[in-house]
Amino acid sequence: MATREQLVEQIKSLQRTNEDAKAAWNDFADTQLGGIKDPNRQDHTVLTNFLTLFANGGIVEIQQTAAAMRAQGPSPVDKVKQIQRSEPVARQAWVEFVDAQHGGIKDPAKLDQNVLNHFIGLYEQGGLAAIQQSNQQASQQAVQQWGGATGGGGFGMGGGGGGFLGLSGGMGGGM
């Protein structure tokens, strides 16, 4: 049984020497692997499946599926990548969006399709301004969910100013 590294090298070698194999791998990656074309980023099973399909001629089905997908237009992952490449402000909008609302995960292939479609819709509506407004709304919702990020009272001696979640106070006010 071949090691994962041997399978990676076999696929890379096929891509360098055979245009059909290269196209087959790209179609396989687009239809089965979320567009991740680097064989080093795939596990043993995925690599073995591709090589078996290619050897048995089963790759024709994947090529047909890929052709049908291309006819439908770019996937949400590809569309987000296109938006990011279109202008620096678009890249900034993506970074702000994922930082504020999705834990800073910047690789669109790692996010749910609904998240990507939400970003695409916002960006097409109003660019960076729409993203920033959405981020502000998400931030306000988080504050409301957690009971307010700031507030009076506090736990110190006397009133004092509130702080994060109203937990910091101080020694303000009279005793």
Side-chain angles (χ1 to χ4, degrees), residues 1-169:
M1 182 170 167
T3 67
R4 185 184 156 289
E5 290 73 23
Q6 290 170 327
L7 296 173
V8 166
E9 187 51 44
Q10 190 175 353
I11 290 171
K12 286 184 174 189
S13 178
L14 272 172
Q15 289 179 325
R16 286 189 293 268
T17 60
N18 183 327
E19 284 299 315
D20 289 337
K22 184 176 184 175
W25 173 258
N26 287 336
D27 288 342
F28 183 77
D30 287 342
T31 60
Q32 307 293 315
L33 310 175
I36 299 172
K37 293 179 172 68
D38 182 356
N40 278 309
R41 294 183 58 196
Q42 305 304 331
D43 65 29
H44 189 277
T45 304
V46 167
L47 301 172
T48 302
N49 287 346
F50 170 77
L51 290 169
T52 302
L53 279 170
F54 186 74
N56 295 329
I59 207 72
V60 171
E61 295 172 27
I62 291 172
Q63 289 171 325
Q64 291 170 343
T65 302
M69 287 174 61
R70 282 191 287 276
Q72 293 174 354
S75 70
V77 169
D78 290 335
K79 185 117 175 157
V80 168
K81 289 179 179 181
Q82 289 171 354
I83 290 171
Q84 289 182 68
R85 289 184 202 116
S86 68
E87 57 185 333
V89 72
R91 172 84 175 128
Q92 178 186 352
W94 173 252
V95 169
E96 288 184 18
F97 176 76
V98 296
D99 283 350
Q101 298 187 42
H102 301 287
I105 299 171
K106 293 178 179 58
D107 182 354
K110 294 182 179 177
L111 292 169
D112 184 82
Q113 301 293 309
N114 293 328
V115 170
L116 303 179
N117 288 330
H118 182 176
F119 171 80
I120 292 164
L122 287 171
Y123 192 78
E124 289 175 346
Q125 278 181 339
L128 181 60
I131 301 295
Q132 289 172 333
Q133 182 179 5
S134 174
N135 292 345
Q136 187 176 17
Q137 290 170 349
S139 175
Q140 289 171 350
Q141 288 173 347
V143 166
Q144 290 171 355
Q145 178 182 357
W146 291 100
T150 61
F155 291 11
M157 296 174 63
F164 179 69
L165 298 177
L167 297 178
S168 65

